[in-house]
Amino acid sequence: MTMQDFAMRYWRNQGAPVEKLRMGFATYGRTFRLASAASGVGASASGPGSAGKYTREPGFWSYYEVCTFLQGTTVQWIDDQKVPYASKGQDWVGFDTKESFETKVNYLKENKFGGAFVWTLDLDDFTGQFCGQGTYPLIGHLPHF
């Protein structure tokens, strides 16, 4: 069970109307500085990853910064969470993709939850210059409910 599944079911089971429950879709990645050569899920971290070139906040990269980082890496998939991650050197980043967005949308539809919200428009590749997937590759991939 994922953290999102736990939270959505918790609120539903507490009596919240399912049509009012929304799940967040992130257009950013969370980064960590690896403490050793191990880079898989659960690897030790010594703190947040380096600051992004544009976001300038340690541990937090926009999706367009993630796309730049992914060049020369192999994206790994966390099966039980249905999300990807990648690492290079001591930097590790977990993020969403079109595929993980699809999984979340299917989950929302199957459980008849109310919908989604995105955080945030300006963190997606709004210019289409970084990811090679056109403008707003993540947000533009979300279907209408």
Side-chain angles (χ1 to χ4, degrees):
M1 178 183 303
T2 66
M3 185 180 349
Q4 292 101 343
D5 181 49
F6 175 84
M8 296 298 281
R9 289 179 188 271
Y10 173 82
W11 288 109
R12 181 195 63 202
N13 294 343
Q14 295 301 310
V18 293
E19 67 275 6
K20 291 187 178 185
L21 292 174
R22 309 284 191 267
M23 179 182 283
F25 285 67
T27 58
Y28 59 86
R30 286 294 182 183
T31 67
F32 299 92
R33 174 140 326 262
L34 295 168
S36 70
S39 62
V41 175
S44 295
S46 61
S50 57
K53 180 178 180 180
Y54 301 100
T55 54
R56 294 184 276 181
E57 183 179 332
F60 179 85
W61 292 344
S62 65
Y63 184 64
Y64 53 89
E65 290 169 324
V66 170
C67 286
T68 302
F69 175 80
L70 293 179
Q71 297 169 8
T73 67
T74 301
V75 175
Q76 304 292 321
W77 190 257
I78 305 171
D79 285 326
D80 62 334
Q81 296 178 30
K82 311 279 190 275
V83 292
Y85 73 94
S87 64
K88 186 189 305 180
Q90 288 188 296
D91 285 317
W92 187 100
V93 61
F95 56 98
D96 272 305
T97 59
K98 292 177 184 181
E99 293 78 18
S100 60
F101 269 28
E102 285 176 18
T103 299
K104 290 177 183 181
V105 166
N106 290 335
Y107 171 82
L108 291 173
K109 287 180 177 180
E110 288 169 9
N111 290 281
K112 298 180 176 35
F113 289 120
F117 67 92
V118 175
W119 191 264
T120 70
L121 295 175
D122 62 332
L123 295 174
D124 200 354
D125 188 9
F126 57 91
T127 65
Q129 296 177 343
F130 294 88
C131 301
Q133 303 168 10
T135 58
Y136 294 103
L138 294 178
I139 297 167
H141 192 66
L142 283 174
H144 297 118
F145 284 87

